[in-house]
Every structure is written in C-alpha cells, then in structure tokens.
Amino acid sequence: MSNSEIVDSALAMQGKSESSNGGSDGNAAETFLVEKDKKLSESVIWSLLEQYYDSASISAWNEIPFYPTSNPFIADTYAQLIVSFLRDYFEKLDLSKPVYIVEMAAGSGCFSFYLLKELKRKIEFFSSLKQIDLRYIMADFTANNVRSWMSSEKLRPFAESGMLSFGIFRPETDRKIVRCKLSDDKNDSPSAYSDEEVLLAAGMSPNPVIAIANYFFDSIKNDAFQIHNGLLKEVRQTFHCVRDSEQPNQIKFDRLIKAEQIHDASYDYYDDARFNRVLNNYSRQFENASILFPWGALNCIANLFEMSGDNLLLISSDKGFNDKTYIEGRREQPFLPHHGIFSYSVNYDAIGRFFRELGGISMNTSDDNLSVSTAVNLLVKNSGDGNSSFEELSYCFDQWVDRQNTCNYLYFIQDLLTEIQPKKGDNASEILRACLGYIQLCNYDPIVFCLAAPRIYMALETINVLQEKRLLEIIERVNDNFYSVQQQYDVFYWIGRIYYGLNRLDDALRAFSDSMLTFGSSSSTTYYVAACYEVRKDYETALRYYEDTLAMEPSCPFTQDGLKRVRAIIKP
C-alpha cells in the first residue's frame, strides 16, 4: 500500500471533519484539519509513516533511497570500526559469552549482507578475534520485512552458520528482541513470543552490544523546542492537508501544511532526567536557538542501555547535523516529504551530548555539508581513561570516517564517472584502468560496476592480458556482491555484455540467463543472447531470440540486421 492509499485514521479516531480554504483566494485548494497544537512526538504523522512501512514492506526500497548507507564501501568502513573496537576491548571481553551486533530497522537487508561479508573476511586476519562468538541480529518492527530476509539466498549461509538471526524489535519501546516466526501470525508483537524465543535482553551477555542505526533515526519521533532570550519554549504543530479530489479524506504527506505554535516549557519536561539534562544543556549554552530534539532516538538508546547493561557502541549514518549553526537562532523546523514518505534531519549533536553527559565518548564527522553524517557513540564499563582506551577505534574514525570519508566521497565520484563518455581511441586504456580502480575502491559495488560497464565495454579492444585477468577477477567479486533490491541496475546484463566483448560466450549466456531470471526479459538482453548464438553459429536459436527481440522493439535496426543475416544463412 502506498502513502496515497493510507486511510486518514487520525480523522476517523478523532471525529474531525473541519475543513477550510487554504487562503483568501476563492480558487485556493480546500484543506482539512489533521490535528491542532500537538507535540511533534505525539503527531499522527509518525503512526501513518509506520503504517506505510508495514504495508509496503521490502517493496518500499524500490522507491525510497537507501543506497548511500547500504553499499559495500560503507559496510567496509563499519567493519573496520567494529574490528577496531573489538581489538581495543578484547582483554575485557568475556569470551564464554557472545558479542551481539544489532542492526535496527535493517530495511532492505542489503547493508547487513555486505557488513556480514566484511566482518567475516576481516576477522580471519586476527587470531584473537576468531575466539569471539559474534552474533548478528537483523531487526525490524514489522515481520513482513524480517520474513523477506529469512527467505534470502544471500543471507542463508550466515543464518545456517549461527552467526545471523532475525528478530522483531521496536527500539523506541522494546527492551528485548524476539526471534521472528517464519509462518504468518495475526499478532506479531513481541508479547506474542515466548521467553524461549528471546534473542537479546538484559543480562544475556556481559559484553558490550554493538548497535547500528542507518537511515533510521531520521524516521522516528522528534520533539521541537526553541530558546527565546534564554527561556525554553515548546514548539507544537498544527497540520492541515490539501484535499485530494479523488481521495478527499486521506492524508498525503506531500499535501500537508504545517504551522507552529510556541508554548512555555518546564525544565523537567521529560520523565527521564537524562533527556532533561541534554535539553537544559542547550538552554545554558544558547540565548536563542531552535532545537530538533531526537526523542525517539534517545528512547532507542535508553532501551539499548537497559538491554546491554550500559555497555553500548552505537554506529549511525543518516541525514543529520552536529554543527551548532543548525541550532543557533530561532526558526521553524521544516517538514520535508519525499518519495512518498517524510524524514527529519538527525540531531547528532544531542545524541553526542546524551552520551557525554553519562561519561561516554562521541565521535562525529565534521563536514555537515555532506549527504550523510556518521556518528560513533560509546558508553562501556571498565573503559579506562576515555578515548585513550579506544586508540584503534579513535584512529579508525578519524582517518577513514572523518578525514577520508569514503562513505560520502566515493558516492559523489559516481556522478563524475557518468560524465565520462564511453569511447574508443587512444585514451580508452586509461579510462579502463580508471574504471577498474574505482570499482575496486568501492569494494566491488555492483551499482558502481553498472555505471562503469559501458566505459569498460568500449575499451575492450585495447585490453591486455593482465588487465583482462584483473577484469575477470573484478567481475567475479561484483557478481558475489549482488543483492537484489533495486531493479534499475541489471548487473548481470552488463556482466554478460563484457563477457560477450571478451568472446567468453558461455559465460555471457549464463549471465544473460541470470539477468532474465532476476530482472525479466528485455530487448537488450535478448538481442545479445541472439548475438551469442549467432557467433556460435547456432543460427536456429539465434533466429528465435532475434525474433523475440524484434517483438519487444520492432524498430531496432540492429535486430533487423541480425535477422537478415541469420535468415540468409538458414534459407540461402
């Protein structure tokens, strides 16, 4: 179910039928009141967003961007961070108990696959780390997503080895993760599961829990505050919705109009004193400020503290900020719908303050101009003297996450890659080397391979023996990294094209077969299947595939020429 199909449950519950014009102009769009003067964290928008994710399940990721935090190169960086932390803390680990990694809102499952691969590969280099019983839990609040992971062929080897489990977890409210049932059930809430099915809860391991939150905190509850001349104010929300003539009583995020109301706020606003300390910290620092307060994220962290016994490493990447310029001054917090959903920027500054107030460590990327911010926050027992006890982790974050920031910059360079026109000629060999190097830098990312493949194909005439050997190795690793989610990148088609260009026809036909099985038939794929059979002099089969191609794209001159050639041979 799409966002546009979500029924206006808020109006039904509250019995509101109030409507108004959007302005004094008689032609202005008609609007209706969704809610008035609400705390942001109590707004109906959050439950509607949750309904969308529950209904759309894994298909949501065909529309919603997730690639910047779900690719092989960011997974490589996370694996380095985790290995660095485990090496720093190894002497304090209880090796008779597991170390749990919990990925919250694991979404498409793509990042989990890449991180599991990288962790397994990297740990093999350290005899000490091979002693650790590492347990990875992919978790989400909706069993629909979790069951899709359970059926994944790519994830199955990790599950069968005992390294990977699949759990139901609503981090804002739950303090345990329960194993997901494979069969459907009318009640998928944690209370529906027995204690024997608990994957992680308080007291299950004395070791730190490693939690991952990618593109998650931006989609859970926030509150809004302002500071007026040193005084804390609460910002409440009123939402109207522009009425859709075809679905007049349904709320659509891209039709919402927000207004803010300012109220006095007490300095003990929250029941949790730890949250109030962060809020009051802002009041002491700023004379005038606008604070997007990550109430949902802090609740998640508080529950993880409970589950881990205050032993937590949190790694998170999201659209967010850490610089005080995003807080200074009074302004409205924008409501930004996109791709049928909405999200708010993550206040990583507040999350860092939360950890530091409790004696923890906070590390954040320093450039807030980038698409994705990354934060590592740490609170563990027996940690010694702050950062000095986590030298490898601190170095890894500074060198790879903040200074080089491959998570962002390798992603940005993709735009430059698409500007390089595929061409033959003197510089084809240089373009080939650059493309192969970039794919390797991106940890054999299938999407990067698809972007580079047209340039590689055009340069195949200049390829030497060593380059061909390296290209074949890269193709094997790219193929192994394929995790099917987004349908616009047909990696098997491009693998087939390059095999065809190298005259490796059996390999090409296998790749084209994988393309058709995974992405469905296309005129491009069937054309090259026909071409393979024509080169092999199997003209009857080539004729059949050329005819299939022509049926899909009747005006293609290449297909028409192929048909003429083959028919001329079959019927001279």
Side-chain angles (χ1 to χ4, degrees), residues 515-565:
S515 170
M516 289 187 282
L517 285 171
T518 307
F519 297 95
S521 293
S522 70
S523 60
S524 298
T525 307
T526 55
Y527 172 83
Y528 275 98
V529 171
C532 285
Y533 282 112
E534 183 182 359
V535 173
R536 291 173 61 169
K537 300 184 179 180
D538 183 348
Y539 299 116
E540 295 288 347
T541 306
L543 176 63
R544 188 171 74 250
Y545 277 102
Y546 277 134
E547 288 173 343
D548 290 345
T549 305
L550 195 67
M552 286 185 268
E553 193 176 352
S555 61
C556 178
F558 301 107
T559 306
Q560 293 168 353
D561 290 345
L563 276 169
K564 289 178 183 177
R565 290 193 305 270

Side-chain angles (χ1 to χ4, degrees), residues 75-76 78-79 82 101 103 110-120 136 212:
D76 179 63
Y78 273 48
I82 291 169
I101 301 174
E103 185 183 351
C110 195
F111 174 81
S112 314
F113 169 63
Y114 292 134
L115 180 55
L116 284 160
K117 283 187 65 180
E118 284 304 314
L119 283 171
K120 189 174 180 181
Y136 196 106
I212 295 168

Side-chain angles (χ1 to χ4, degrees), residues 7 122 231 238 247 256 449-450 477 493 508 510 512 543:
V7 177
K122 284 177 167 52
L231 298 176
T238 292
Q247 299 168 317
L256 288 178
F449 176 82
C450 287
R477 294 188 182 190
Y493 166 75
R510 278 192 292 270
F512 291 134
L543 176 63

Side-chain angles (χ1 to χ4, degrees), residues 301-550:
I301 295 165
N303 289 329
L304 289 166
F305 281 161
E306 178 74 19
M307 295 162 63
S308 65
D310 291 337
N311 272 339
L312 180 66
L313 170 66
L314 173 65
I315 309 175
S316 177
S317 292
D318 217 317
K319 176 185 68 177
F321 59 90
N322 185 59
D323 194 285
K324 68 178 183 179
T325 57
Y326 287 84
I327 299 165
E328 285 180 320
R330 302 200 311 244
R331 70 185 74 85
E332 286 197 3
Q333 299 294 347
F335 176 79
L336 300 174
H338 58 91
H339 300 91
I341 59 168
F342 71 90
S343 58
Y344 282 92
S345 291
V346 180
N347 185 347
Y348 280 119
D349 176 75
I351 293 172
R353 290 171 188 251
F354 185 63
F355 273 84
R356 290 192 297 271
E357 283 280 340
L358 298 171
I361 299 166
S362 182
M363 294 173 262
N364 295 269
T365 46
S366 54
D367 188 349
D368 280 343
N369 291 312
L370 301 176
S371 301
V372 174
S373 297
T374 299
V376 170
N377 289 280
L378 177 65
L379 179 68
V380 295
K381 296 175 181 176
N382 305 317
S383 61
D385 183 22
N387 280 331
S388 63
S389 298
F390 295 97
E391 293 177 343
E392 287 203 34
L393 177 63
S394 299
Y395 172 78
C396 181
F397 186 89
D398 179 75
Q399 181 68 24
W400 303 111
V401 182
D402 193 25
R403 290 172 61 112
Q404 296 196 13
N405 206 332
T406 54
C407 302
N408 276 289
Y409 294 130
L410 288 178
Y411 175 57
F412 292 152
I413 293 172
Q414 292 177 22
D415 292 335
L416 298 178
L417 181 63
T418 58
E419 293 297 317
I420 300 173
Q421 295 302 315
K423 60 177 69 175
K424 299 179 181 180
D426 295 338
N427 66 341
S429 181
E430 286 76 11
I431 291 175
L432 175 64
R433 284 198 294 267
C435 287
L436 296 183
Y438 185 57
I439 295 168
Q440 186 170 340
L441 276 175
C442 291
N443 201 18
Y444 310 99
D445 183 354
I447 291 178
V448 170
F449 176 82
C450 287
L451 296 175
R455 289 94 189 146
I456 294 172
Y457 183 80
M458 293 298 289
L460 290 180
E461 290 183 2
T462 68
I463 198 168
N464 60 44
V465 173
L466 292 177
Q467 287 175 330
E468 181 173 342
K469 179 176 181 290
R470 184 60 186 146
L471 175 56
L472 293 174
E473 291 170 350
I474 286 173
I475 287 174
E476 185 177 345
R477 294 188 182 190
V478 166
N479 185 69
D480 189 51
N481 267 349
F482 175 73
Y483 187 95
S484 178
V485 181
Q486 291 183 321
Q487 295 295 303
Q488 65 265 45
Y489 295 102
D490 186 346
V491 65
F492 299 123
Y493 166 75
W494 280 110
I495 288 175
R497 280 280 302 271
I498 290 173
Y499 278 143
Y500 174 80
L502 294 172
N503 202 32
R504 301 176 68 93
L505 300 181
D506 289 343
D507 292 331
L509 286 170
R510 278 192 292 270
F512 291 134
S513 176
D514 288 339
S515 170
M516 289 187 282
L517 285 171
T518 307
F519 297 95
S521 293
S522 70
S523 60
S524 298
T525 307
T526 55
Y527 172 83
Y528 275 98
V529 171
C532 285
Y533 282 112
E534 183 182 359
V535 173
R536 291 173 61 169
K537 300 184 179 180
D538 183 348
Y539 299 116
E540 295 288 347
T541 306
L543 176 63
R544 188 171 74 250
Y545 277 102
Y546 277 134
E547 288 173 343
D548 290 345
T549 305
L550 195 67

